[in-house]
Amino acid sequence: MQANYTEIPFTWPQGFKADGVHAGLRQEKLDMGWLYSETPAAAAGVYTTNQFQAAPTKLTKQTINQQHQLQAIVLNSANANSCTGAQGEKDAQQMQQLAATKLGLSTALVGVASTGIIGELLPMKVIANGIAQLQLTDNHKVTTAVLTTDTHAKTVAVTCELAGKKITISGFCKGSGMIHPNMATMLGFVTTDAAIDGYLLQALLSQATDTTFNQITVDGDTSTNDMVTVLANGAAGNQPLTAGSADYATFTAAFTYVLGELAKKIAADGEGATKLVAVNVAGAWSDFEGQQVAKAIVGSNLVKAAIYGEDPNWGRIMVAIGQTNAHLDLSAVDVTLNDLPLIQASQAGSTEVTTLTKALAAKVITLNVELHNGTGHGQAWGCDLTYDYVKINATYHS
Amino acid sequence: MQANYTEIPFTWPQGFKADGVHAGLRQEKLDMGWLYSETPAAAAGVYTTNQFQAAPTKLTKQTINQQHQLQAIVLNSANANSCTGAQGEKDAQQMQQLAATKLGLSTALVGVASTGIIGELLPMKVIANGIAQLQLTDNHKVTTAVLTTDTHAKTVAVTCELAGKKITISGFCKGSGMIHPNMATMLGFVTTDAAIDGYLLQALLSQATDTTFNQITVDGDTSTNDMVTVLANGAAGNQPLTAGSADYATFTAAFTYVLGELAKKIAADGEGATKLVAVNVAGAWSDFEGQQVAKAIVGSNLVKAAIYGEDPNWGRIMVAIGQTNAHLDLSAVDVTLNDLPLIQASQAGSTEVTTLTKALAAKVITLNVELHNGTGHGQAWGCDLTYDYVKINATYHS
């Protein structure tokens, strides 16, 4: 299928403003920001399944669920406002109120997002100072202000035409560690000027998340603050999208591309990572099982360490596949590594070890898995396990 | 409850012989061994749930399942004979046959166990050479011959009285990496001179495994070769044990202690580990959920890295608990770290960070978790995540 959308340099869709500032939560880096739509936008969100949902995550979910509308989201890094009890809930509400007041909005139209250390109270004076500085600009500073141990901002923007109207979808996110999303993931923010109903947007987001953000892993840990939100303000002037239309199919493809690219950027910039690992599974019993097998491979510490060591230790891939409950033909598993036969009929493939070792020097390792047991497909993305992952996570707090 | 058994220096129970040799699979270290009972022994086994079960694991399972009897087990390290197809199955059978012939036994009484690299064929000449050298002795060399990246042998022996007869239970095992047992674990071997029916022994082993070997994790990966076997030859002369008797209760406690100690030794000697992490959960909805929560904590890469870094980053423990499906009172989680309050009512505990940091210098970190949500208990054991874990697993193959 030819894509009906085009990737463009990052930009805000029509009618969106944003900003990022240094409030003082971090030593020097940008640490607060916001996103604003000139009119109320249809809004949707997916949220962590971790039972200890952070205060801002709960508040944003509650706010969006009122009428699937938002006009602004205010965010901070360095402090997750998670496991902070009743005071944490008050602080999230106050952050929402401060942003709403400054923007002249009802709090019912303002979302809140936080990421960083768990278990410390938000320094509310610093937060208030940050909100006081925020302006409505066209800059992209918010895409940096949201980062924690990420090494760079993660953004993607595409454009497509819906019945003659040009629309833009722009997404940014933060990832790095504690990444093993389940129904939602880390912080992701998508804006579009397309016109679409909030409930339809919610259905689309939930569906697209399953094959994108939910298929990445860095370390198997699901954060308390995971959240992806989408704001669609309709400024592009298209006819509101309806499910089943050709325009909806075009929008779905473009939207899913944006989520998939953001997800891959998170995997590639996993804490300490030196390589992106992409797994494509075919021949699975079902798509669900294909996704399950793909995620098991990118989630295996042993596979991840072998890839870091550029060691074609393929038995570990078999171990990862075999510990799923997927239906398998045990003697029919084929795997290629960057197109070289690595495993054939569940045994060592025909490629020389020295050739495989050389291939493993690449920055992107693609494993194509053929299970010969059905027509299901699945994809997942992860990264290698390195000394630096351990270093970052042994010393993050202190 | 007072224990009715006593730990003793490692020894073989009455009527058992063993040996270990250097066959040539490894450069210098012992790499083959066997265990032998002077009479056919009741036998039981638990085996990996990985779908790609290795040839020796399948063969031993099939052999034990015939009549729950074995008289010998032959083993090798350095090569797992896993993912080796039809030739691998023939090789496991030949290894069984060679040992049976030398011992003058039917192959139906001989088990086979292998551990090491996955996906390479066993060098059968070396195996035959090893079996030719093996003798029936009282030495403990087999407990070393089974090791791979383990740093030391893992053994435990206890004695107790059953109706006036002194019986001994002796166990040894290998662990280190690819440790996340599910229904069974790595290689564990338990011998006893108690008299007990093979089917009763099987029931006891399956039950005791659930709270011992199945509650440890090093890296979340379930090997293709995991297996624990027990041989009970009745040489102690006790009345055969019957379920429900006082003697059976004594034997169960002693047997479960042996399995638990072996499991802990595997966790403490996990690849690259510097610390044993023990988690005790109380107040869970059920014992199952208590075990689930305990295993989630020891299985979290982020918790493990923080413990390595001696960083009291307690939010990561909350994340691990919250990502289970266990019933939780979200505001009532208490956790102590080596008896210091770390988390109280789901928020930061009263202990100073500097005090916690000092406590984390210990070699054994015990986390006592109180969920205040029922009467269920659970325990699990793991280790920290270190640079050396990554190093060992980035370079194991080459």
Side-chain angles (χ1 to χ4, degrees), chain B residues 116-185:
Chain B
I117 183 87
I118 293 175
E120 294 183 5
L121 291 175
L122 275 183
M124 290 309 295
K125 279 192 185 165
V126 179
I127 296 287
N129 168 51
I131 292 173
Q133 290 179 58
L134 285 166
Q135 303 298 322
L136 298 179
T137 78
D138 292 321
N139 73 37
H140 304 162
K141 289 182 179 172
V142 67
T143 67
T144 302
V146 74
L147 306 179
T148 55
T149 50
D150 305 64
T151 66
H152 55 79
K154 296 166 186 73
T155 61
V156 63
V158 300
T159 182
C160 61
E161 276 200 10
L162 301 181
K165 299 285 184 184
K166 186 186 140 198
I167 71 108
T168 301
I169 307 174
S170 302
F172 67 97
C173 61
K174 67 123 333 209
S176 228
M178 211 175 271
I179 304 281
H180 187 74
N182 186 4
M183 296 306 290
T185 183

Side-chain angles (χ1 to χ4, degrees), chain B residues 279-284 289-291 293-295 297 367-371 376-380:
Chain B
V279 177
N280 304 305
V281 174
E289 290 195 0
Q291 286 179 244
V293 167
K295 200 161 177 184
I297 295 170
L367 298 169
N368 289 325
V369 179
E370 171 56 70
L371 297 176
H377 285 79
Q379 287 189 295

Side-chain angles (χ1 to χ4, degrees), chain A residues 299-335:
Chain A
S300 161
N301 274 350
L302 287 167
V303 171
K304 290 154 60 83
I307 288 174
Y308 172 56
E310 303 183 354
D311 175 4
N313 195 329
W314 59 270
R316 295 177 178 177
I317 296 171
M318 294 295 279
V319 166
I321 297 171
Q323 63 198 357
T324 69
N325 297 316
H327 293 81
L328 298 174
D329 177 344
L330 294 179
S331 57
V333 174
D334 295 337
V335 179

Side-chain angles (χ1 to χ4, degrees), chain A residues 13-80:
Chain A
Q14 297 173 63
F16 281 97
K17 298 288 178 185
D19 196 14
V21 297
H22 172 68
L25 296 159
R26 307 176 74 180
Q27 225 151 6
E28 289 180 356
K29 295 182 184 169
L30 299 183
D31 50 21
M32 285 195 72
W34 65 14
L35 257 182
Y36 172 78
S37 167
E38 289 167 350
T39 57
V46 284
Y47 315 90
T48 183
T49 54
N50 194 301
Q51 294 193 58
F52 296 106
Q53 223 170 48
T57 314
K58 276 196 285 193
L59 181 61
T60 301
K61 181 176 183 176
Q62 190 185 311
T63 306
I64 288 180
N65 282 351
Q66 283 174 40
Q67 46 185 341
H68 281 277
Q69 280 204 328
L70 280 188
Q71 197 164 347
I73 300 176
V74 60
L75 63 84
N76 72 276
S77 55
N79 185 318

